[in-house]
Amino acid sequence: MKREIRTTMLMPAYMQAFHCIGSECADHCCTMAWKITLDRDTFQTYRASQDSELQPVFMHALKRNRKAASDADYGQIVPQPGASDCPMMDGGLCKVHARLGAAALSDTCFTYPRTTTHFNGVLSQAAALSCPEAARLALSSADAMQWVEYEGVVRESACLPVYGQAAAAAQQLLQEVHHTCLRVLSAPELELWQALALLAILCHELAPLQVQHYPVERTAQVLEAFTAMLESGALNASLAAVQPDLDAQAILLGHTLLNGRSLHRAGRHPRFADVLVRFSSALGETPAEVGKRYPEAALRWRAQVADAGLEYVLRNYVLNLAFREVFPVQGKPGDKLAALVSALVAVRGLCIGLAEEAGAVSLEDMQLAVQSFERVCQHDSTFIGKLAATFSRAGLHAMPRLWPLLRL
């Protein structure tokens, strides 16, 4: 039996209202378009089950993962002929949950879309916005990403440790780096692109230190210098002088959304495919066409978003990503920055395309752009990883080339 504990966690405010809406979900997660992994305990429990209705399904739908890197992906659920949904589904609901209870769900199914991390003694939780209900809540208001302490239930086996083996001083320092990034992204006096431009500087300074496993004294110096730079406003004039490079944005966007990798994944995710169809009908079906139409559409979108008071939507999206991914210290800072910027460029472009196709900006279309894009990224880290790698190889993650790509 999985050990579950009720405890206090740090989370965005929207998480207090989140719950699975089951069969009412417009794009449910129980689909074989994703790889549904089973941890070792769950796999063996299912195989030993004597439930008269579930036992035959378990016998045919479970497969041992002989190349498993850990007990977390010991097995998986395999698709059945002609079916697109998980074989455990029945009328939009899970038969395992209905017959055996929530405790019988695998770690994957029990936790999604929640991600819980354990960092320097603090449990934090946020949701993947590939879930339509999570995306609706997280992007519904400007205060949805306020940080709160909230009591909830977590599984110990599904909590992800962050630098769990590092010394206490190092953990404390890296947690301060992470929280500093969240404060910068949340700062109302900074536009989102300006916040990311500043964080690019921090990531550049942290990159060589990550290779050295973040030596405490040097990392502390970098954080202190960065904080002093923020407080002094030393870069304000430089940022104010940056002009958007709409042509470069259009080229990057066209190659990001209309490449073979994106189109292949659209074939497995109908909602994302529909969004791409709408995007293409408005901005073009090739990168060259996008290059011609994007600049004027982007300027119209910027004005419409300001008039509608929806500037917070993409900020909430980036904040949620940064919080859930423990940006920038869980992984290589340069790669984390490239992934964050690539996601923003892609989602912002989708928002522009949808607004152009509809003739106006709407909150619903912005939520749809975020959710459908995240749907493709979820359980497929290679997708955003390859986009970010392309971004980095072109040198677009470095100043000063990055800033005009970020500004709109």
Side-chain angles (χ1 to χ4, degrees), residues 36-103:
I36 304 176
T37 57
L38 299 175
D39 55 274
R40 183 188 185 103
D41 289 346
T42 301
F43 184 91
Q44 293 179 341
T45 298
Y46 286 0
R47 275 289 173 86
S49 173
Q50 298 301 309
D51 184 275
S52 59
E53 185 173 337
L54 290 173
Q55 197 270 343
V57 182
F58 288 151
M59 288 300 295
H60 291 93
L62 305 187
K63 179 182 178 182
R64 174 83 160 81
N65 180 11
R66 299 294 176 182
K67 297 181 179 180
S70 68
D71 283 351
D73 61 345
Y74 184 84
Q76 67 184 84
I77 299 173
V78 297
Q80 301 303 289
S84 59
D85 289 343
C86 173
M88 312 304 170
M89 288 284 281
D90 182 20
L93 297 173
C94 176
K95 288 188 287 190
V96 173
H97 188 284
R99 295 183 67 82
L100 304 181

Side-chain angles (χ1 to χ4, degrees), residues 368-392:
L368 175 61
V370 169
Q371 185 270 325
S372 62
F373 181 78
E374 283 296 298
R375 177 79 171 195
V376 177
C377 297
Q378 192 71 28
H379 289 203
D380 187 358
S381 59
T382 62
F383 180 73
I384 192 65
K386 288 179 179 177
L387 293 183
T390 300
F391 190 84
S392 296

Side-chain angles (χ1 to χ4, degrees), residues 63-355:
K63 179 182 178 182
R64 174 83 160 81
N65 180 11
R66 299 294 176 182
K67 297 181 179 180
S70 68
D71 283 351
D73 61 345
Y74 184 84
Q76 67 184 84
I77 299 173
V78 297
Q80 301 303 289
S84 59
D85 289 343
C86 173
M88 312 304 170
M89 288 284 281
D90 182 20
L93 297 173
C94 176
K95 288 188 287 190
V96 173
H97 188 284
R99 295 183 67 82
L100 304 181
L105 295 175
S106 68
D107 285 344
T108 298
C109 297
F110 181 85
T111 59
Y112 178 82
R114 303 169 185 84
T115 298
T116 306
T117 56
H118 185 232
F119 190 11
N120 191 36
V122 177
L123 283 174
S124 301
Q125 188 179 90
L129 302 191
S130 53
C131 167
E133 179 65 3
R136 184 187 70 81
L137 292 170
L139 308 177
S140 62
S141 65
D143 59 4
M145 285 302 299
Q146 290 182 353
W147 315 115
V148 299
E149 289 187 343
Y150 187 70
E151 189 177 84
V153 175
V154 296
R155 276 189 182 174
E156 285 189 322
S157 58
C159 293
L160 306 177
V162 180
Y163 289 103
Q165 303 302 315
Q171 285 197 45
Q172 176 66 34
L173 185 57
L174 293 175
Q175 189 179 59
E176 290 177 16
V177 169
H178 173 53
H179 288 171
T180 296
C181 291
L182 296 179
R183 287 195 295 272
V184 171
L185 288 170
S186 303
E189 68 273 16
L190 295 173
E191 295 183 39
L192 177 58
W193 78 268
Q194 292 174 321
L196 285 169
L198 293 171
L199 294 186
I201 297 172
L202 178 60
C203 287
H204 176 75
E205 295 297 321
L206 289 174
L209 302 184
Q210 188 271 335
V211 177
Q212 304 168 41
H213 304 290
Y214 291 113
V216 172
E217 183 177 354
R218 179 66 184 125
T219 304
Q221 291 172 350
V222 167
L223 180 59
E224 183 178 355
F226 180 72
T227 302
M229 181 194 71
L230 292 177
E231 293 174 349
S232 70
L235 281 179
N236 289 357
S238 298
L239 290 175
V242 172
Q243 296 300 311
D245 188 340
L246 298 178
D247 291 331
Q249 289 177 25
I251 293 170
L252 179 61
L253 180 64
H255 285 290
T256 295
L257 294 179
L258 300 178
N259 61 34
R261 190 179 303 116
S262 299
L263 297 176
H264 171 72
R265 282 159 177 79
R268 302 187 65 192
H269 299 280
R271 232 179 183 212
F272 183 64
D274 290 344
V275 167
L276 277 188
V277 167
R278 290 181 59 191
F279 171 90
S280 298
S281 70
L283 296 186
E285 298 181 355
T286 66
E289 290 177 347
V290 173
K292 293 177 182 178
R293 301 179 192 176
Y294 171 85
E296 289 186 2
L299 294 177
R300 280 192 290 271
W301 180 82
R302 184 180 66 183
Q304 291 172 352
V305 166
D307 289 344
L310 294 175
E311 296 101 330
Y312 73 87
V313 174
L314 293 186
R315 185 186 294 267
N316 282 16
Y317 169 54
V318 172
L319 260 173
N320 193 73
L321 273 179
F323 182 72
R324 187 168 64 87
E325 297 290 329
V326 199
F327 177 88
V329 297
Q330 181 74 321
K332 298 179 180 179
D335 291 348
K336 302 296 282 189
L337 175 70
L340 203 64
V341 170
S342 298
L344 173 62
V345 168
V347 167
R348 185 176 66 186
L350 288 174
C351 288
I352 292 169
L354 294 185

